[in-house]
Each structure stands twice: as structure tokens, then as C-alpha cells.
Amino acid sequence: MLLGCIADDFTGATDLANNLVRGGMRTVQTVGVPSKPLGDDIDAVVVALKSRTIPAAEAVAQSLAALKWLQLHDCKQIYFKICSTFDSTPAGNIGPVTEALMRALGCDFTIACPAFPEAGRTVFKGHLFVGDVPLNESGMRDHPLTPMRDANLVRVLQAQMQGKAGLIDYTDVARGPDAIRARIAALKAAGVKVAIADAVSNADLMHLGRALKDMPLVTAGSGVAIGLPQNFALTGAAATALPRSTGYRAIVSGSCSVATHTQVAHFVRHGGAARAIDPVKLAASASEVEQALAWAKPLLPAGPVLLYSTATPAAVQAIQSQLGAGRAGQLIENALATIARGLVDAGVDQLVVAGGETSGAVVQALGIEALRIGLQIDPGVPWTLSLGARPIALALKSGNFGGEDFFVKAFQVLQ
Ligand code: ADP
């Protein structure tokens, strides 16, 4: 294993794995620290944690446990995957986890860089831009858990660190790997432990990647991963090649995001077999799940079926005020996960899931511990194949990802 990654959330882990696969690395994503061997035809492992917003001490403990597993499997370099909007608070978790990993690795310097220009995340003079606006003017300003009110990442990082934070300025990044290495040497001499790195283009990420060749730890969003595969001697085996799935096809959607609405509408408009799951009926009777499965099973041989709770903001609000937001979400996630399980038992082995939390619930219900990452369907969303006795092809799409035709295109990509 060449690259061992620790991701602070599940869909971010997939995003990173997708970039590594695009760079030619055969990549497996695991749900937490793996309990079983993953096989030996793997270049990179991404251990997906849920550590972004938990207390810093817990995030450190979980990350160190993941590191231990990766070290046991001889990973040459460690990548701590953070959010591309640097989601964190003065208490952490980017600073504390990075410093703990550095201590465990005996590493005296690393970078922290959330830049991913293809996704509209650029860093200039240490300031993070989301699309055309500074971080503190983006929607992240009002995030419920990690409101980002300062675009100056050196300042944001410094508040979370015991050691000194610094900056690898754009003028050095643009001049290439040698200039970046010289800047790193100067920062180290000045006592800096972690430096924010500027990057506004893929060319910058490639320069950074080359300069980071011998760095034991890299803290970054998924963008920096674009520049790392060039450092490794890869076998040349096709990283996206997954065994063919030949069973039934289905889509389960618990996402109420705008993009998902258009995808559901597109699927229905094009004659797809679709059934809405009504949370009011779910709350009243458990037989709603059985009825949904009884509806779906006879239709499976004819093509993909869609089961969805995707609903308008007004409908969501109505059920939330009846049950409470937490209970409504849980009820629907459980129902969709049970439906997914029932579909797989009925012979589905190509499954699209829409919704980040919904995906987590489905993966758990299917008992999946690790996924091999395959071909990208739309930016950031690849097909994956579960490892284990009965492999299932899964496309896990969080909220606003994917084009309007995603539910149709996904199965075409798999052919
Ligand atoms: P996204 O990635 O779009 O945010 P998630 O699956 O992460 O989607 O989150 C959607 C949440 O909304 C889940 O907890 C889900 O159970 C809940 N939900 C889905 N449909 C409805 C609905 N009709 N009414 C209320 N809550 C819903």
C-alpha cells in the first residue's frame, strides 16, 4: 500500500478516493478502521471516519487508531483528508488531529491545503475562496456546526494549534516544486510546523504534489490528491476496472436537496418506475416498507426502480413539526435502509443511493465495511463495489451532486 488516508467524513472520503482513482491509484474506501484484510491489489486506502465535528480528543483518538492500522500495512505516506471549506472551530479538529498525527509519525512539518480549483475552492495569500467569494461571505458563514467567519486560514489554523502556523505563498507555488521546497525549508527554520499552501489551479496542485513527495503527512482537501499519484511507481493496472454486475437495478433516495429533486423528476419524466415513500404513513404503520418492497419486486426484471422520500421543503417541514426533525430523519433513514436491504435480498446488485446520511444508513444496513472505487459517473460521484461475499455495485450520491440525468446515466456508465 502506497498511500494511507484518514478522512474526517464519509462522502469526503469518496471524493478523495475518486481523485486518487482518476490519478491511476487502485483505491479502497473503508467504513471506519478495517476489521478484515482488504486484499493486496490496492495502492491507496481511505479510512472514512465521522470525526469532523466530534470533540477534538475523540477525533484525535479515532485518527490515531486509523493511523496505526495504516502503519501496520506499510503505507508510505499518510493523508489527512479535511473539508474543502476547512470546516472546523477554534477547538479543532484540523489543528489537533494534524499535530497528533505529526507526533505519532515523528514528522516536524506538514502543509494544510483545502484547495480544489475544479470544485471552486481556491487559496490565495492564505485566504480561501468558495467560488467567487471569500469563505466568510459564502454559505459556510452560517453553517450550523462549523460557521466559518474568517477566510484567512493561517489565522483559523493558528487558533487550533499548539505549534506555529505559516504560509506557502502563491509566488512560490507558481514557480514549481523547487521553490516550494525552498520555502518549506525557510518555514521550518523559522519554527513553523504546519503551513497553509496557496493553490488556484490544477497546475499548482501538480507542483505541490511533486514537492510533497517525501512528506510523511499531508493534510488537505481532496484536491491535493490530484498531484500525489505522479510520485508513486504505479503498476499501470486500470484503477477503475470493477467486475461486471449483472443483477437487478434500483435507486433509493432520501435526499431532499435541489439537485436530487431534479433527478427524481427527470427519472419519472422518462418513464422510470418510481414510488414515493410517505413519512406520514411510515410513522403510522411499519407495513409501508413491506408495501414498497411488494410494489418494487415484480418490476425489477424490467429495469431500475426508484423508491424516494425526496419531498418539498413544505412537506419536510410538516412532518418535522409532527415528529421532530431528528425523529423524522431517523425514521426515514431506517425505512430506506430496510428497503435497500430488501431490494438487495431480491437480487439487486446495482444500487444508487441519494443522500449523504441516507447513504450512511444504507451502507450500515447492508453490513458493508469496504468499497472498491470505480468509474466516475459525475464529478465527485464514482461507482463503487463492496468487498465481501456478495459484491454490490453502489453509487453513493450526497445532496447536490450529479447532473439532472444522474439516475439514468449512472446505469449507462456501468454497462
Ligand atoms: P443530503 O445529502 O441531500 O443532505 P441526507 O440523506 O444527508 O441528504 O439527508 C436528508 C435527511 O432528510 C435524512 O435524514 C432523511 O431521512 C431526511 N428526509 C428525507 N426525506 C424526508 C422527508 N420527506 N421529510 C422529512 N425528512 C426527510
Side-chain angles (χ1 to χ4, degrees), residues 253-257 260 277 279 309-312 315-317 319-320 325 328-333 336 354-359 397-400:
S253 174
S255 160
C256 297
S257 297
T260 309
I277 306 295
S309 68
T310 308
T312 60
V316 170
Q317 214 170 12
I319 189 75
Q320 284 182 340
Q330 204 60 54
L331 179 76
I332 297 162
E333 281 169 37
L336 292 178
E357 294 299 325
T358 310
S359 293
K397 185 198 85 79
S398 81
N400 276 319

Side-chain angles (χ1 to χ4, degrees), residues 276-351:
I277 306 295
D278 182 350
V280 179
K281 286 192 194 148
L282 261 187
S285 144
S287 68
E288 178 69 4
V289 167
E290 281 156 38
Q291 284 170 25
L293 283 169
W295 167 86
K297 283 178 189 172
L299 299 173
L300 287 171
V305 299
L306 164 65
L307 293 121
Y308 65 99
S309 68
T310 308
T312 60
V316 170
Q317 214 170 12
I319 189 75
Q320 284 182 340
S321 52
Q322 186 185 325
L323 299 178
R327 217 188 122 218
Q330 204 60 54
L331 179 76
I332 297 162
E333 281 169 37
N334 289 345
L336 292 178
T338 308
I339 287 171
R341 172 84 259 169
L343 291 169
V344 166
D345 289 344
V348 167
D349 73 356
Q350 301 165 52
L351 182 65

Side-chain angles (χ1 to χ4, degrees), residues 12-154:
T14 309
D15 193 12
L16 168 62
N18 187 48
N19 281 349
L20 293 171
V21 168
R22 285 165 67 207
M25 298 186 89
R26 297 165 301 171
T27 305
V28 166
Q29 171 178 347
T30 68
V31 185
V33 178
S35 62
K36 299 187 192 102
L38 301 177
D40 45 18
D41 56 343
I42 298 168
D43 301 315
V45 174
V46 184
V47 177
L49 302 177
K50 240 181 153 184
S51 58
R52 185 170 294 166
T53 54
I54 62 177
E58 278 173 44
V60 165
Q62 288 186 20
S63 305
L64 289 176
L67 174 66
K68 208 164 177 187
W69 190 92
L70 295 168
Q71 285 179 312
L72 264 176
H73 292 79
D74 286 334
C75 290
K76 310 257 175 296
Q77 188 171 41
I78 302 296
Y79 195 107
F80 173 37
K81 157 73 176 72
I82 56 167
C83 184
S84 72
T85 43
F86 217 76
D87 294 12
S88 52
T89 68
N93 290 341
I94 297 173
V97 171
T98 299
E99 288 191 301
L101 293 173
M102 288 172 79
R103 277 192 295 275
L105 284 160
C107 155
D108 61 353
F109 181 88
T110 191
I111 66 149
C113 178
F116 191 7
E118 276 177 14
R121 312 289 192 260
T122 53
V123 182
F124 185 70
K125 301 280 178 195
H127 289 69
L128 175 60
F129 290 80
V130 178
D132 295 330
V133 298
L135 176 64
N136 56 308
E137 292 176 29
S138 75
M140 288 310 299
R141 189 185 161 73
D142 298 314
H143 189 281
L145 302 175
T146 50
M148 301 304 289
R149 302 269 164 95
D150 187 359
N152 181 332
L153 296 187
V154 180

Side-chain angles (χ1 to χ4, degrees), residues 328-403:
Q330 204 60 54
L331 179 76
I332 297 162
E333 281 169 37
N334 289 345
L336 292 178
T338 308
I339 287 171
R341 172 84 259 169
L343 291 169
V344 166
D345 289 344
V348 167
D349 73 356
Q350 301 165 52
L351 182 65
V352 173
V353 186
E357 294 299 325
T358 310
S359 293
V362 168
V363 163
Q364 196 179 16
L366 296 180
I368 289 169
E369 292 187 8
L371 301 161
R372 182 78 182 241
I373 308 297
L375 261 186
Q376 175 171 288
I377 304 161
D378 271 333
V381 199
W383 271 109
T384 69
L385 191 73
S386 66
L387 302 187
R390 188 174 158 221
I392 311 287
L394 279 170
L396 305 171
K397 185 198 85 79
S398 81
N400 276 319
F401 280 64

